[in-house]
Amino acid sequence: MLEPPTSSRPAAAAVEVRGLRKRFRTATALDGVDLTVAPGTVCGLLGPNGAGKTTLIRILATLSLPDGGHARVAGYDVVTAAARVRGRIALTGQYASVDELLSGRENLEMFARLHRVRGAAVRRRADELLERFGLQDAGRRPVRTYSGGMRRRLDLAAGLVVPPEVVFLDEPTTGLDPQSRYGLWDSVRELVRAGTTVLLTTQYLDETDHLADRITVLGNPEGTGGRVVAEGTPSALKSSLGREYLDVTVRHHDQLGPAGEALARTGAGTVEVRAGLRRVTLATGPGSGPGTRVLTDALRELGSAGVEVEDLALRRPTLDEVFIGLTAAPAPVREAA
């Protein structure tokens, strides 16, 4: 099996970004972004549209030049050592870049030859990748007969013909069905187990929650360009919101109003009614006390109002709720080490 490129470079961050800036005419895409990704980990890069995620990926992949700051990938500067960076990375975007007229095997063999792999090693590498990504049975079929998930897996496999040190995945599961998404998740986990570093952008927050060791959230809080507004582990970011949620599902729709009033009387936070789910959610606020006390108070008020509860759950915020809270914040928030 081919091995990742090696050198005498000292061990360092797989991706290191300091003060990165990028401007397009009258719009600033990146306004002083800092980012560090440890080797052999998955970093989830989140942010609303226009926060600069794809711009950052393009700079790190040497497809665009920054206007300020600096960035190093696999130990090399993306501007002054771009060729060395390109030899150590793979990039998979939203759309598969494989040739639909060729078979899956022919695509992989073509990419291997482009990487100057020769002789029997070409066929061996194609065999390894087809098996690794569950495409061995479809390897001789034209790619035009593949499903979207199969094409995306083949696209990722093509980028691994020469195993990279760092892989950039820019919304790789967009448009895929759940089964195909989960299959790609398994492929990403296998990459990391083999020592590859992954920087992942996605619109699916559950994807980041399942895959990422750490998350960096880009935002544009003042309308002046993308900045880091939060970073940390998924668990730390959920805790940073400083609240819990009590979800109450009532047995009958006509009890939604009384249930909302009962939860409001606890004084523990804000109440949201979701009629379609027959659910009332209490988002606890600062000073509301421990969740057990909120739960006890809520049960007492619901019982006094005669509300029939079908289901009740006290939970931490989801990553979606954290994302909405952070990207709407007016000022940067950074996790303490």
Side-chain angles (χ1 to χ4, degrees), residues 214-276:
R214 292 185 67 82
I215 296 171
T216 295
V217 183
L218 293 182
N220 191 357
E222 299 173 1
T224 58
R227 302 176 185 176
V228 175
V229 296
E231 59 182 358
T233 65
S235 177
L237 289 178
K238 292 173 185 177
S239 298
S240 72
L241 202 57
R243 60 175 53 180
E244 292 179 297
Y245 290 81
L246 179 64
D247 293 327
V248 178
T249 303
V250 299
R251 192 171 299 279
H252 306 291
H253 275 92
D254 59 5
Q255 292 186 320
L256 285 169
E261 294 169 1
L263 293 182
R265 283 195 296 273
T266 67
T270 58
V271 175
E272 179 184 2
V273 177
R274 303 178 184 182

Side-chain angles (χ1 to χ4, degrees), residues 37 57 78 115 167 210 242 244 252 255 272 332:
V37 183
I57 293 292
V78 299
H115 281 281
V167 173
H210 280 85
E244 292 179 297
H252 306 291
Q255 292 186 320
E272 179 184 2

Side-chain angles (χ1 to χ4, degrees), residues 95-237:
Y95 306 100
S97 58
V98 290
D99 191 325
E100 294 191 350
L101 299 179
L102 300 178
S103 68
R105 170 178 291 281
E106 288 169 339
N107 267 280
L108 295 178
E109 291 179 350
M110 176 184 67
F111 276 97
R113 293 189 178 97
L114 289 173
H115 281 281
R116 300 182 181 179
V117 181
R118 297 290 181 263
V122 173
R123 294 186 294 276
R124 286 199 303 271
R125 189 58 178 157
D127 285 338
E128 291 169 359
L129 290 170
L130 288 171
E131 181 176 1
R132 181 175 181 178
F133 288 91
L135 296 170
Q136 59 269 44
D137 293 338
R140 298 190 181 280
R141 283 169 39 196
V143 172
R144 66 174 180 271
T145 67
Y146 284 18
S147 67
M150 293 169 69
R151 295 185 193 199
R152 203 64 58 82
R153 279 183 281 150
L154 180 63
D155 192 38
L156 182 55
L160 304 178
V161 165
V162 174
E165 294 183 35
V166 180
V167 173
F168 300 112
L169 301 180
D170 190 13
E171 301 188 17
T173 61
T174 297
L176 297 187
D177 60 77
Q179 185 174 359
S180 297
R181 286 180 64 209
Y182 299 151
L184 197 64
W185 290 4
D186 289 339
S187 299
V188 171
R189 293 187 184 102
E190 188 173 341
L191 281 178
V192 176
R193 282 194 293 269
T196 299
T197 303
V198 176
L199 184 58
L200 166 72
T201 76
T202 178
Q203 296 290 339
Y204 303 113
L205 274 71
D206 64 323
E207 189 160 87
T208 313
D209 209 359
H210 280 85
L211 292 176
D213 298 289
R214 292 185 67 82
I215 296 171
T216 295
V217 183
L218 293 182
N220 191 357
E222 299 173 1
T224 58
R227 302 176 185 176
V228 175
V229 296
E231 59 182 358
T233 65
S235 177
L237 289 178

Side-chain angles (χ1 to χ4, degrees), residues 81-101:
R84 290 185 179 273
V85 172
R86 287 193 289 270
R88 288 161 172 80
I89 66 172
L91 171 63
T92 297
Q94 299 179 35
Y95 306 100
S97 58
V98 290
D99 191 325
E100 294 191 350
L101 299 179

